[in-house]
Amino acid sequence: MEEMPLPALFEQAQKIHTTATESGADQELVKKGCEALEKCEDMISKLGLFSANESKDDISTTNLKYILVPFYHGELTEKVLCNDRIEILKASHAKLKEFISFCEAMELFPQEELEFSAQSNSNLSADRRAQKIARFKRQRAAESKLLEIKERKERRGRSSKAATLSTPVEVGEEDMLDDDGEEEREAWLTAISLAICKAFDLLEMLKKEEDMLSAIKAKQSKEGDPFSMDILDERTKKAEAWHRDAAVRARYTRPAQPITCATFAQDVLEGRAQASQAHEHKHQPLIFGPASLVNGSLTSERERMAAQVFQPSHRMPTMSIEEAGLKEMEIMNKWQERNVELMQEANSSWYKDKKSSPGEDDDAAQDKARAWDDWKDDNPRGAGNKKLTPCG
């Protein structure tokens, strides 16, 4: 790493940052990336690539990417695991503030962000919500633009490769094929704009985490550390003794097997019981949580609340398969009884007499049909429309 030039060192650090951000990386790789970025910062400072009197238009396209070094360093520093988390958060916060200050000096800040920064004294939720929405829209637009530039560059590369294979390139025309300086500058400016949005979001998250850890640390220093080793050892011994005693008690306190719905149904089928008999067997709801370890009862409010919290992610059945079978048997019996009543009614004498003997209604219907036929013979179809025709 000491002998690598700045472009190669920055490319290596950028790859480590991409790996750690997208798919995660081990601590050795993260620390290696932090060392590479520190080396990049030293080389940038020694070479004097940036000046306080310059703006973004004065920076060359080749040096634009080095503006992202503090941002990459701040993001990688936040991923370092350490016993003192507050120091890591402060270091990451300092690098991100350095990146934002430099971008503001180089006139790389978007106009909306400057307006919100000027109104930083207002803590209204509506203003903060509008700021987050505007920042999210800028982030999505920057990501879409970077993806578009990447696809356009890939298409141009494939076209140039195809043209090179079909047509020989003359001496001096190689630079004409790779003349994409404006596009590269646009890509790096878009990447810096995207990094600014991410830096603001990360700063807010780090600030909240640092305040929370500082409050916990102050409370522990004031009340004493509640998680000392002696207390933890005592709690461990109590838990082990409770589980050991519960396992011993469970051998001699197993409840008798209750009469299940399957047993009752078998008794009904074999004639030992009647289906009309009351069957008060109820399925006990499953208990989850600490009380279910030894089939214990909910003796305290804490255990009752724990049993309500630790519930399955699916709906539990309201009845067993045997109960559903008995319910279907009851419906089937009622349906069969109804069919027997209908058959008896159909075979009764008054029902047969009513169907066999013709009544007066049949004669009236026959006379009505004959009268309708006679009327149609006297009034053919369309006879009443002759007066409506203009020349009729």
Side-chain angles (χ1 to χ4, degrees), residues 107 133-134 297 350:
E107 300 178 359
I133 292 174
S297 60
W350 68 269

Side-chain angles (χ1 to χ4, degrees), residues 26 62 66 77 79 111 147 150 161 171 215 239 276 295 297 390:
D26 55 357
T62 309
Y66 301 126
T77 304
K79 299 180 183 301
Q111 186 64 28
L147 184 60
K150 182 180 178 181
K161 186 176 180 180
V171 178
S276 59
N295 294 325
S297 60

Side-chain angles (χ1 to χ4, degrees), residues 35-53:
E35 293 177 2
L37 290 169
E38 290 178 0
K39 184 65 177 176
C40 286
E41 291 178 350
D42 294 339
M43 296 179 70
I44 291 172
S45 178
K46 291 179 181 179
L47 294 174
L49 297 182
F50 305 113
S51 175
N53 300 324

